[in-house]
Amino acid sequence: MERFDYLIVGNSVGAVGCLETLRSFDKSSSIAVIGEEPHHVYSRALLPYYLDQEVPVEKMLYRPVDFYDRLGVTPVLGRRAVGLDTAGHVVKLDDGRIISYGKLLLATGGRPIVPPVPGLDTEKENICNFVALQDLQRISRLLPSAGRVVVLGGGIIGLMAAEALHKKGLEVSVVELAPRVLAPVVDEFTSRLIEEAFRRSGVAIYTGTTFKEVQGGERATGVVLTDGTSLPCDLLVVAVGVVPRVDLAREAGLAVNRGILVNQQMETSAADVYACGDCAEVYDFLMGNRRVLPLWPNAYAGGRVAAYNMLGMKREYDRATSMNAMHFFDLNIITAGLNTAGEKDGFEVVSRFDAGSRSYRRFVLKDDRIYGFTLVTGIARAGIFLHLMRRGCAVTSFKEKLLEREFGYLTIPEGLRRELLSDEGVISEHAAANQ
Amino acid sequence: MPRVVAKPEVCIGCHLCEVWCVVAHSRSKNILKAFLHETPRPVPRVVVEENLPFTLPVHCRHCNEPSCVEACISGALYRDPLTGRVEHDAGRCVGCYSCVMACPYGAVVMDEVNRKVARCDLCKEMGEPACVKQCPNRALVYQDSFTS
């Protein structure tokens, strides 16, 4: 039986965050990573970016080709973990191999949701998800014969796919069940700005409706919406999100809610088993609860914190919350925290829209601190706001200034500024003492 | 970690650090050619904040656990474990601006013309960073090692 000191199930960003941190401190322990797909670690987030190219796998890679070698990691690719025995400290693979581990990280990610609609089946020739390299490869093969595409889902992935397909020359329609696009992520005003950008570019957006049925046999030929609209199509992309992949953990008896439950040290309910990324429920510092936060930075940072604790260096993950950088046509958008909350939920909202530049800034405040922000168009230096939010800084005294495009550290009152800038030595100690 | 540290109390807000940063990252390395003939002109990788009479130059901190690297979806931003420097491979950058969302100092600069980002690379091919060398009032200091 093979044995590794550290074993990681999953081969995406959470795994990389963990691997890189493990190797920063421990050069000699044995590490293996199990990847279900037969590919070197690649970025799922890049799928929309490479839709219009000839699937250059090298350009999808998230780390250089010598990554596993250089880090002394054993990749086990094209194999799926099908069993976990936490008492025996072993993982069973789909080819019957048994691998024993010292510490285990579950970074199994998410599974695309396919709503139960008559005729909607991703086994069909021209119905695809949009989460894996093979989805991209399928879509690329279908493109030459496709003129019309319907995208189910007006979230980030659906909208990015829609834009990329539009740029490929297809006639694109997006269907979103909620009354507006990106409803869980941005406020209504931002939704309208985004919908406007799509419509101006010639992409049709249907909101407040969904598929009633998909027409056609082996090949989808069109969809009928619940409001009666018929949309013919040659390609159907299902992008309504992902659910945590928890089968392995659940069958092994780990505590699982929507995702695998972890504490702030990323430990699951089983000894020596950790979890991070889209498969886990992590602590959201803003909401003060545990929830699935399937976002890239959270997965990497979760893997990193897990690694520290696997190494016996106690660390807590206390900086996760929702955050997104998006762009649709000419709109750049950055959001973080609670953005759908408003005055009626007991928050104070300050916002400003500049019609000339079409820039929009919105802050959700409560108890003297930032709970969420949305920046549209003027997104430079957005991270300063995330920083203020994560540190729970008091902002009421300068809340109107948050709306200014030139906002920076010099806008922040001196005492707080000094505190924030001393973290990574932005200013010299001499200045910090005398400023 | 090597990095550029500012002394805002002696910064006079002349923006020459920005000018010389552009030159250092130009093809010609010549101030006139860079400003008159290079299109697109490189973006300066130092942000000089101004709230007169105060000015504050902010450079990439080459953080130990960089938030930008954590957020980068393409692998363009990475921290070299040997030098400790945070590097940016512009060839891999897709301009998603996740790093702009993540950097607590606002030190990742948007290059909207090329739809990429730029960050202080400490002029790694030139020895001393150009901004430090050219700062007329020595408001910028190159720190070779930093322990926090």
Side-chain angles (χ1 to χ4, degrees):
Chain A
M1 182 165 56
E2 291 167 276
R3 186 190 182 282
F4 293 93
D5 298 317
Y6 300 102
L7 181 62
I8 300 174
V9 180
N11 185 28
S12 188
V13 52
V16 172
C18 182
L19 285 176
E20 291 185 338
T21 309
L22 285 175
R23 273 296 177 247
S24 302
F25 296 96
D26 180 343
K27 313 286 185 213
S28 58
S29 292
S30 57
I31 307 177
V33 58
I34 300 169
E36 186 175 85
E37 295 168 76
H39 308 296
H40 184 84
V41 58
Y42 72 92
S43 170
R44 295 176 196 285
L46 287 183
L47 294 173
Y49 292 90
Y50 291 109
L51 181 60
D52 53 351
Q53 302 185 24
E54 288 292 301
V55 197
V57 177
E58 324 77 60
K59 290 204 84 176
M60 300 285 297
L61 299 186
Y62 175 52
R63 287 293 184 262
V65 278
D66 63 351
F67 178 67
Y68 304 116
D69 268 359
R70 207 162 48 81
L71 264 68
V73 169
T74 305
V76 182
L77 304 179
R79 291 270 76 97
R80 197 156 58 88
V82 293
L84 163 61
D85 171 6
T86 58
H89 279 59
V90 294
V91 167
K92 188 180 171 193
L93 303 187
D94 58 355
D95 60 355
R97 273 159 79 186
I98 308 272
I99 301 180
S100 96
Y101 62 82
K103 308 252 184 209
L104 174 72
L105 176 72
L106 298 175
T108 46
R111 189 191 310 287
I113 299 169
V114 180
V117 172
L120 186 63
D121 179 358
T122 51
E123 294 292 304
K124 288 188 182 177
E125 185 187 331
N126 59 344
I127 303 184
C128 308
N129 287 125
F130 201 75
V131 296
L133 200 51
Q134 60 159 6
D135 298 326
L136 187 67
Q137 287 163 334
R138 277 183 69 199
I139 291 172
S140 299
R141 278 198 304 274
L142 290 161
L143 277 182
S145 62
R148 289 164 299 196
V149 57
V150 176
V151 177
L152 180 61
I156 297 172
I157 304 298
L159 291 176
M160 284 192 87
E163 181 183 353
L165 291 163
H166 168 78
K167 287 179 173 165
K168 294 296 291 176
L170 275 73
E171 194 182 304
V172 183
S173 304
V174 177
V175 178
E176 165 59 45
L177 178 61
R180 55 192 181 86
V181 298
L182 279 162
V185 182
V186 298
D187 68 306
E188 191 166 341
F189 190 83
T190 307
S191 285
R192 300 298 173 224
L193 288 175
I194 298 166
E195 288 169 10
E196 205 179 285
F198 273 89
R199 291 198 173 115
R200 225 182 13 240
S201 305
V203 173
I205 306 249
Y206 297 85
T207 52
T209 182
T210 188
F211 291 5
K212 192 164 97 192
E213 64 166 318
V214 174
Q215 297 166 315
E218 267 317 287
R219 206 184 143 79
T221 53
V223 297
V224 179
L225 307 185
T226 49
D227 65 4
T229 310
S230 276
L231 300 170
C233 69
D234 312 302
L235 171 64
L236 216 160
V237 175
V238 183
V240 287
V242 294
V243 284
R245 289 188 62 179
V246 296
D247 314 4
L248 188 67
R250 183 174 276 144
E251 281 158 25
L254 269 62
V256 173
N257 186 26
R258 265 200 77 213
I260 303 167
L261 292 177
V262 293
N263 61 17
Q264 278 177 260
Q265 285 140 60
M266 309 307 285
E267 294 167 322
T268 67
S269 59
D272 299 324
V273 182
Y274 299 74
C276 74
D278 294 10
C279 68
E281 271 185 36
V282 298
Y283 180 75
D284 181 326
F285 77 91
L286 271 182
M287 307 280 278
N289 62 12
R290 289 193 287 189
R291 60 188 187 122
V292 180
L293 286 165
L295 300 159
W296 193 271
N298 291 330
Y300 186 97
R304 176 159 67 202
V305 173
Y308 274 110
N309 290 295
M310 290 162 102
L311 289 160
M313 302 159 77
K314 194 175 164 187
R315 277 281 285 270
E316 297 210 326
Y317 187 29
D318 56 4
R319 38 190 267 134
T321 193
S322 68
M323 60 187 90
N324 289 286
M326 306 171 266
H327 53 86
F328 306 111
F329 297 100
D330 56 346
L331 283 186
N332 286 315
I333 303 164
I334 286 179
T335 69
L338 292 176
N339 288 306
T340 48
E343 278 96 354
K344 63 179 187 310
D345 310 300
F347 291 91
E348 182 187 356
V349 175
V350 290
S351 66
R352 182 179 295 167
F353 176 61
D354 179 68
S357 61
R358 304 204 67 66
S359 78
Y360 177 60
R361 292 164 95 85
R362 181 181 192 265
F363 289 82
V364 177
L365 312 169
K366 194 179 182 175
D367 306 329
D368 210 13
R369 58 184 286 195
I370 303 174
Y371 270 81
F373 66 89
T374 301
L375 308 177
V376 182
T377 303
I379 63 166
R381 312 195 80 202
I384 298 175
F385 300 120
L386 186 59
H387 195 38
L388 289 169
M389 204 165 87
R390 277 179 166 155
R391 302 210 16 164
C393 298
V395 300
T396 311
S397 68
F398 57 96
K399 65 182 179 190
E400 287 299 324
K401 296 223 161 63
L402 297 169
L403 301 172
E404 290 170 9
R405 203 155 171 167
E406 288 71 36
F407 184 91
Y409 278 99
L410 285 180
T411 323
I412 298 173
E414 190 190 323
L416 176 58
R417 180 202 319 155
R418 196 160 47 208
E419 185 191 319
L420 295 174
L421 294 184
S422 60
D423 278 4
E424 288 281 350
V426 179
I427 52 177
S428 69
E429 280 165 39
H430 172 77
N434 291 284
Q435 208 190 8
Chain B
M1 220 61 51
R3 58 179 37 163
V4 177
V5 176
K7 290 179 169 177
E9 74 278 17
V10 290
C11 171
I12 54 170
C14 67
H15 294 266
L16 280 173
C17 50
E18 293 178 0
V19 171
W20 288 102
C21 181
V22 168
V23 176
H25 295 93
S26 67
R27 288 189 299 279
S28 63
K29 314 287 178 205
N30 175 292
I31 187 166
L32 289 175
K33 286 180 186 162
F35 276 81
L36 291 176
H37 304 302
E38 289 194 22
T39 355
R41 188 195 298 160
V43 293
R45 291 132 187 257
V46 46
V47 180
V48 181
E49 288 192 19
E50 240 179 48
N51 191 357
L52 296 173
F54 302 107
T55 55
L56 167 69
V58 181
H59 293 71
C60 167
R61 309 323 294 152
H62 296 272
C63 303
N64 242 326
E65 293 185 3
S67 298
C68 59
V69 170
E70 182 177 300
C72 178
I73 62 168
S74 69
L77 281 161
Y78 59 98
R79 184 176 176 275
D80 188 313
L82 300 177
T83 64
R85 286 178 179 185
V86 177
E87 309 277 4
H88 181 244
D89 177 354
R92 304 186 61 81
C93 180
V94 293
C96 69
Y97 299 140
S98 296
C99 49
V100 174
M101 166 187 81
C103 173
Y105 303 102
V108 183
V109 179
M110 292 169 68
D111 174 357
E112 294 194 68
V113 176
N114 296 304
R115 192 157 195 112
K116 289 193 184 300
V117 295
R119 288 168 37 265
C120 167
D121 58 359
L122 297 166
C123 292
K124 61 177 172 182
E125 282 149 26
M126 300 167 62
E128 193 186 9
C131 58
V132 173
K133 202 163 150 189
Q134 303 285 354
C135 176
N137 218 24
R138 298 192 188 280
L140 295 172
V141 183
Y142 180 54
Q143 239 179 34
D144 220 338
S145 63
F146 177 90
T147 42
S148 60

